[in-house]
Amino acid sequence: MVEKIVNLMFDEYNIQAKLDKEHEEFYFPLWETISKITDCDNPKEYLENIINKERENGIEISINSRHVKNDLEEIEVINAKDLFRIVQIIPSPQAEPIKLWLAEKGLEGLDEIKDPELKISKVIDEYRQKGRSEEWISQKLESINNKNRLLSFFELGNPI
């Protein structure tokens, strides 16, 4: 797994995620993350109890974790989608910053559906934050536009 380590800050605690570049997916250390957002000593038991309570209410929560080698030990990791689903059911003040962040991202997504130009502005701002020059950004956007026109030509048989 080709990876990049990313630190996500939520209020006073840090969650370390690994980006699997091959599959383009973030993975989080499951039990360490649950422990941080619940302040409990036994995250496995805690999570099992919440999942059982959800099951009693007719809601099925499934966790698709996998084991990966981390330095000298093997750890259980979970992808971002499953982690965020779990966070939604955790009744802990430590989970609130993540829940608020998820709500903000959901609202941003709805705003971008309403006004697609917001996505373009967001991409341009992110490139600027990464230190890209205006010329580089312009060339990148032109390259994306040209690629889309070429794909449209091959898919539809006519240029845009």
Side-chain angles (χ1 to χ4, degrees):
M1 168 166 53
V2 179
E3 58 189 40
K4 175 183 176 183
I5 296 176
V6 178
N7 290 304
L8 305 174
M9 291 297 298
F10 293 101
D11 282 354
E12 68 278 349
Y13 60 90
N14 176 30
I15 297 177
Q16 194 172 77
K18 290 188 178 182
L19 174 61
D20 180 343
K21 290 183 179 179
E22 184 180 334
H23 296 101
E24 297 182 343
E25 193 163 26
F26 282 102
Y27 288 95
F28 297 83
L30 177 58
W31 305 122
E32 177 187 333
T33 304
I34 299 298
S35 182
K36 282 183 180 181
I37 60 177
T38 61
D39 259 349
C40 71
D41 295 329
N42 190 342
K44 286 183 183 183
E45 184 179 315
Y46 182 91
L47 186 58
E48 187 177 299
N49 287 339
I50 333 182
I51 288 174
N52 286 336
K53 285 179 186 173
E54 292 294 309
R55 192 173 289 131
E56 289 170 7
N57 292 324
I59 300 169
E60 195 62 39
I61 306 285
S62 63
I63 300 172
N64 298 311
S65 64
R66 66 182 191 159
H67 294 269
V68 295
K69 196 85 162 147
N70 185 22
D71 297 327
L72 301 174
E73 63 182 343
E74 191 173 284
I75 62 167
E76 196 168 352
V77 296
I78 189 169
N79 68 22
K81 180 182 176 185
D82 287 344
L83 176 67
F84 293 148
R85 178 64 185 106
I86 289 169
V87 167
Q88 293 172 3
I89 63 170
I90 292 178
S92 166
Q94 289 89 336
E96 286 306 307
I98 300 174
K99 291 177 184 180
L100 289 172
W101 180 79
L102 288 171
E104 288 171 10
K105 294 302 170 188
L107 182 58
E108 284 177 19
L110 290 174
D111 289 344
E112 289 169 359
I113 289 170
K114 187 172 50 179
D115 182 3
E117 285 185 21
L118 291 174
K119 281 185 190 178
I120 296 167
S121 297
K122 188 174 175 181
V123 167
I124 291 170
D125 289 342
E126 287 175 9
Y127 283 141
R128 285 180 180 142
Q129 288 174 0
K130 291 182 178 187
R132 303 293 187 183
S133 70
E134 293 300 317
E135 182 182 352
W136 186 94
I137 294 169
S138 179
Q139 288 175 350
K140 181 70 172 178
L141 294 175
E142 187 177 332
S143 169
I144 292 169
N145 185 41
N146 289 338
K147 180 186 83 173
N148 288 338
R149 290 178 66 189
L150 184 62
L151 289 173
S152 177
F153 177 79
F154 286 117
E155 289 174 357
L156 302 176
N158 56 1
I160 297 177

